[in-house]
Amino acid sequence: MSTNTAVRTKKSDEDKKLAFKKALSTAIPYLGLLILIVLFQILTGNFLTASNLEAIFDQGFTLLIASMAGVFVMATGNLDFSLGANAGFCCVCATLAATYIHPIASIPVAIIVGLIVGMVNGFAQTVLRLPSFIACLCMMFILTAATQSLITGSSIMMPVSMMFWETFARKLIFGIIYMAVMIVMFKYTRVGKELKTLGVSPEAARQSGVNVKKRIFLAYAITGLAAGIAGFWFMLRTGGAATTTGQTTTSDVIIAVVFGGMSVSGGASSKISAAILGTLIVTVLNNGMVMAGFGGDPQQLVKGLLFLLVIAVSTKRDPNVIIK
Amino acid sequence: MKKLLALLLALAMVFCLVACGGGNDEEPETPDDSQGETEDPGTDDGGETPAGEQKPFKYGFISWGTADEHGRTLAAATQWAVEAAGGEFVMDGSAVSAEQTIAAAENLIQGGCDIISFCTYAGEASVPQISKLCQENEVYWTMWDTTIADESIQEMINQDPYFVGTANEDQYSAGYDTMQKMAEAGATDVIVVKYGVNIPTCDDRCEGAYDAAEELGINMLYEIVAPEDYKAAMQNALVAYPEANAAFLAGSGTQSTAVSAAFEEAGKSDYVIGAFDYFDSMGEMLQDGSLKVINGGHMVTGTFTAVMGINAFFGTPLSEEKYSIVIPYLTLTSYEDYELYIEYASEGAAYTSEELQQNCFPVFNPDVTLESFQEFVSNWSIEDIAARKGAEA
């Protein structure tokens, strides 16, 4: 009898520990963001001004687009390494379309190119059965080379008339619609749930009736589409395309999603909110550190240490490999 | 619950930003009144802004970081000029792409910078956006290591009252001079190593080198372009062209060690390497003779663009028009040159505060003119450093 009680007590303690750890890993990103905002407001005195919040919105906008889509692939336990290169390539195509066809043509061109690239990634994995890591890496090299060959010099410029396309109101409206679509798709449709199931175990998902190939293909198509959209907004923000456009997007997406509290191994704990929260954290951190006068080497050091801390707290310690 | 929270947070940001956007639109844009508004309440009655006034300022410097020799010395040399004029130096060292350069400009401006400077390392398409940003926020700006190739961009920024000008190096002449010095050191058959494709800086240096080679009768045997492994690429080139006795590195000077190793392994001892961009072990290579010419020291582009921006902010611009200044490279051809550089210029402090004040800022010395400033800039050389520091010693 006493042995049973002892076992129950031990189990209860373990449950409490697990619950605490889960609550901690959930709360850390929110707490982190709050601490950062308060800290930067104290350090700078003008962090929460209207103009700075608008700057943060501008800076985080394309990252938000990319990272929300990135969650769809990351939920399956994979990473789309070609996301940034795809966004850069779409940016180049959009700029060329705007210059040589018509400014309006840049929108469908960016979206279609991005989508095609995403579908090719999905095709390579589901039909050709190439490992995700290899397929995306190859695509990244191809797109980087294509971008460099399409750009003469270090950058190409979009038509000057498009400089005024990027307004706060347009970005805001688009952002709201985009977020709503992505949240609904990931949280309230079968797509999100099945992608998370795939992240836990593709075999279990298959036996549960999930069309694995179809879902993986769809995840990469969504990411590709988002890369196209991000590429279009990159063009408007940077005034054209450069060989460096999108260069850091893939790593920024991973950092943002992890900062937002999602494990890179995907699975059941995957959440679309991690992309929103993580984008906010990364952007606030970049902006606040420069405003506070720590824009040199300390910026990288602090980001590195924080990233390490978040990874340490959020990563599942199981035998699953990060990249499948 | 947490997902709901995330959504609420996002919505909160959205509502917050709606308010922000509305508030900002109402701010009037009166670029020419900026100095009077911020610094001299006495001019509220619509009077003129006092000219030639030294006043506190914050200087924002945008670069790719300080991990390399050029990035480190550039930041230090810029900071030196800013502090010589009594300002506060703030840096954003994360700008490796166009979007990050724009974000850096936004962050520095939000941080209260009155002047910013950057280079078009990540492409010049973003220049109009930064121009727009600076005009909206009444911030002066300059560009270092930059020549704008696109005429429409140049035209656009020429209309910007806050754009002051640019500073850059004469790449063609530097390439030409380097090849001449290599010829003097015995180079007759050269392999050219380009660090990138379609990079104007690299291409201009090579063009100068090719022209000099043609005049001097030097054989330009082969061109290696953007190698991942410099040593392997050079080894292959030496197999194909065993007569090669020299290498011209149009950039990435740090790879001189790899190129030198390739020559050594090919059994050559009397070879000539001429390169661009300083690196840590260049002293040893100059001493043992494996490196004959190395160009660098262009961190002063940061110093002089800072001078240009600060003078505009003080209300004493050196020219009413936009202007560009050309900075010579600091060319080292011996270990003695290297020692001089290390002792007096490697930490950015190539000039004393007093030298900068007396030669660059009309607020400290009213005799400073654009011509005298340009002459001061063009004197930048190892001989000039030796003369100035020697006299002080």
Side-chain angles (χ1 to χ4, degrees):
Chain A
M1 192 69 177
S2 59
T3 312
N4 285 345
T5 309
V7 169
R8 270 204 300 274
T9 309
K10 195 180 171 189
K11 201 180 170 192
S12 169
D13 284 346
E14 278 173 5
D15 286 347
K16 276 181 191 170
K17 271 184 192 171
L18 275 174
F20 176 74
K21 201 177 172 188
K22 197 180 170 189
L24 185 72
S25 65
T26 306
I28 275 179
Y30 292 95
L31 280 173
L33 179 62
L34 191 69
I35 290 167
L36 284 177
I37 290 172
V38 172
L39 185 72
F40 288 138
Q41 177 61 26
I42 293 167
L43 285 174
T44 64
N46 60 349
F47 182 79
L48 290 171
T49 57
S51 60
N52 193 45
L53 291 174
E54 191 176 339
I56 290 172
F57 175 75
D58 279 337
Q59 288 168 33
F61 189 70
T62 42
L63 178 57
L64 181 74
I65 291 170
S67 57
M68 285 188 87
V71 167
F72 283 77
V73 170
M74 287 174 77
T76 66
N78 292 310
L79 293 171
D80 184 353
F81 283 98
S82 66
L83 207 165
N86 190 4
F89 182 65
C90 291
C91 182
V92 175
C93 294
T95 308
L96 292 173
T99 307
Y100 296 109
I101 304 171
H102 191 277
I104 289 288
S106 59
I107 301 173
V109 165
I111 290 172
I112 291 167
V113 170
L115 182 63
I116 291 171
V117 170
M119 288 165 73
V120 171
N121 274 338
F123 179 81
Q125 287 165 62
T126 54
V127 180
L128 302 180
R129 293 176 177 270
L130 294 178
S132 159
F133 175 67
I134 299 295
C136 291
L137 210 59
C138 292
M139 182 57 81
M140 185 185 83
F141 290 138
I142 292 166
L143 295 174
T144 304
T147 298
Q148 283 176 349
S149 60
L150 284 172
I151 294 180
T152 47
S154 56
S155 64
I156 49 173
M157 202 182 158
M158 67 181 184
V160 177
S161 61
M162 294 179 79
M163 264 188 74
F164 304 97
W165 280 28
E166 191 204 27
T167 65
F168 177 76
R170 281 179 187 164
K171 284 170 92 167
L172 186 66
I173 293 166
F174 179 82
I176 291 169
I177 297 168
Y178 181 84
M179 281 200 297
V181 169
M182 298 303 256
I183 289 168
V184 168
M185 206 191 300
F186 194 82
K187 269 188 75 173
Y188 302 108
T189 68
R190 280 174 58 188
V191 174
K193 290 182 177 68
E194 290 183 359
L195 289 176
K196 285 198 273 188
T197 315
L198 274 170
V200 177
S201 166
E203 185 52 32
R206 192 186 64 79
Q207 289 186 10
S208 310
V210 174
N211 188 331
V212 175
K213 284 185 178 179
K214 195 175 155 188
R215 286 292 170 243
I216 287 181
F217 184 84
L218 183 67
Y220 280 95
I222 290 170
T223 312
L225 181 78
I229 295 169
F232 171 74
W233 285 105
F234 268 140
M235 176 189 71
L236 292 186
R237 179 155 167 82
T238 61
T243 48
T244 54
T245 302
Q247 199 177 52
T248 59
T249 303
T250 306
S251 58
D252 287 347
V253 164
I254 297 168
I255 291 169
V257 171
V258 171
F259 266 146
M262 182 175 147
S263 167
V264 281
S265 46
S269 64
S270 304
K271 46 199 171 185
I272 195 85
S273 62
I276 302 167
L277 193 59
T279 300
L280 268 172
I281 292 172
V282 169
T283 316
V284 161
L285 193 62
N286 287 340
N287 171 270
M289 288 204 68
V290 175
M291 281 186 74
F294 303 115
D297 296 335
Q299 191 182 10
Q300 304 301 327
L301 181 72
V302 171
K303 277 165 75 176
L305 288 174
L306 279 175
F307 191 58
L308 195 67
L309 179 74
V310 173
I311 286 275
V313 173
S314 66
T315 303
K316 286 184 278 183
R317 263 57 166 201
D318 58 27
N320 289 343
V321 284
I322 289 175
I323 301 157
K324 291 171 186 170
Chain B
M1 186 61 189
K2 61 196 173 191
K3 289 166 190 166
L4 188 67
L5 254 173
L7 186 60
L8 284 173
L9 193 71
L11 284 173
M13 181 186 82
V14 163
F15 287 126
C16 198
L17 290 170
V18 171
C20 303
N24 232 18
D25 291 345
E26 288 163 18
E27 285 176 20
E29 284 184 27
T30 51
D32 294 330
D33 295 339
S34 64
Q35 293 162 23
E37 274 174 15
T38 52
E39 299 300 332
D40 190 354
T43 58
D44 283 352
D45 56 2
E48 286 181 11
T49 302
E53 182 193 10
Q54 190 208 355
K55 49 193 177 182
F57 67 93
K58 217 169 175 180
Y59 188 93
F61 178 72
I62 300 167
S63 86
W64 58 83
T66 54
D68 63 313
E69 169 82 10
H70 186 38
R72 184 179 60 78
T73 53
L74 193 59
T78 308
Q79 185 168 3
W80 197 258
V82 171
E83 289 174 358
E88 184 189 343
F89 176 84
V90 190
M91 178 179 167
D92 187 328
S94 64
V96 296
S97 66
E99 55 271 25
Q100 284 171 328
T101 305
I102 293 171
E106 281 175 340
N107 293 342
L108 289 168
I109 290 170
Q110 290 303 325
C113 288
D114 305 290
I115 312 152
I116 62 166
S117 72
F118 64 99
C119 86
T120 53
Y121 169 79
E124 60 188 42
S126 57
V127 171
Q129 305 287 359
I130 294 180
S131 165
K132 191 175 144 200
L133 197 64
C134 288
Q135 286 185 73
E136 283 168 2
N137 292 281
E138 302 169 5
V139 167
Y140 289 98
W141 61 285
T142 56
M143 291 182 285
W144 42 269
D145 280 4
T146 294
T147 308
I148 297 294
D150 190 307
E151 284 176 14
S152 63
I153 295 178
Q154 188 64 58
E155 217 169 281
M156 195 183 293
I157 59 175
N158 281 344
Q159 306 300 318
D160 177 350
Y162 288 94
F163 170 59
V164 182
T166 59
N168 52 69
E169 305 85 19
D170 187 347
Q171 310 293 357
Y172 176 88
S173 298
Y176 187 96
D177 293 345
T178 300
M179 189 51 71
Q180 264 190 333
K181 288 187 170 71
M182 287 173 66
E184 286 164 16
T188 55
D189 297 277
V190 182
I191 288 169
V192 175
V193 188
K194 284 178 144 184
Y195 64 90
V197 188
N198 292 332
I199 298 173
T201 302
C202 179
D203 293 343
D204 289 349
R205 289 170 181 170
C206 290
E207 197 185 330
Y210 275 104
D211 285 353
E214 197 179 337
E215 283 176 27
L216 298 165
I218 294 171
N219 300 317
M220 300 298 254
L221 300 171
Y222 180 64
E223 205 172 79
I224 297 170
V225 181
E228 280 189 18
D229 183 337
Y230 276 67
K231 187 179 171 185
M234 195 66 197
Q235 280 175 325
N236 292 340
L238 287 171
V239 170
Y241 299 95
E243 69 272 34
N245 70 345
F248 174 88
L249 273 78
S252 303
T254 188
Q255 297 294 341
S256 301
T257 48
V259 171
S260 169
F263 273 117
E264 298 282 348
E265 285 184 23
K268 293 175 181 284
S269 55
D270 195 16
Y271 54 88
V272 177
I273 297 177
F276 280 80
D277 301 334
Y278 288 172
F279 56 101
D280 290 336
S281 58
M282 64 184 177
E284 292 160 33
M285 289 187 72
L286 282 166
Q287 194 169 26
D288 67 21
S290 53
L291 179 68
K292 295 289 192 302
V293 189
I294 179 82
N295 296 286
H298 43 313
M299 71 281 201
V300 287
T301 51
T303 311
F304 294 129
T305 44
V307 167
M308 292 160 73
I310 294 165
N311 279 327
F313 177 73
F314 282 168
T316 54
L318 293 172
S319 168
E320 293 303 323
E321 304 294 320
K322 319 297 177 196
Y323 63 103
S324 292
I325 54 168
V326 178
I327 290 156
Y329 276 102
L330 207 58
T331 306
L332 311 183
T333 53
S334 67
Y335 186 67
E336 289 70 35
D337 287 351
Y338 169 77
E339 282 185 316
L340 265 171
Y341 164 74
I342 288 296
E343 186 166 0
Y344 298 117
S346 62
E347 297 305 320
Y351 299 104
T352 64
S353 290
E354 200 187 347
E355 281 171 341
L356 288 172
Q357 288 174 358
Q358 291 307 309
N359 291 286
C360 304
F361 297 107
V363 288
F364 296 110
N365 176 9
D367 293 336
V368 173
T369 62
L370 180 59
E371 291 70 34
S372 70
F373 174 61
Q374 279 179 328
E375 193 186 335
F376 179 70
V377 169
S378 63
N379 284 337
W380 175 243
S381 64
I382 277 294
E383 292 76 26
D384 171 56
I385 293 174
R388 282 187 291 111
K389 305 298 177 182
E392 278 181 8

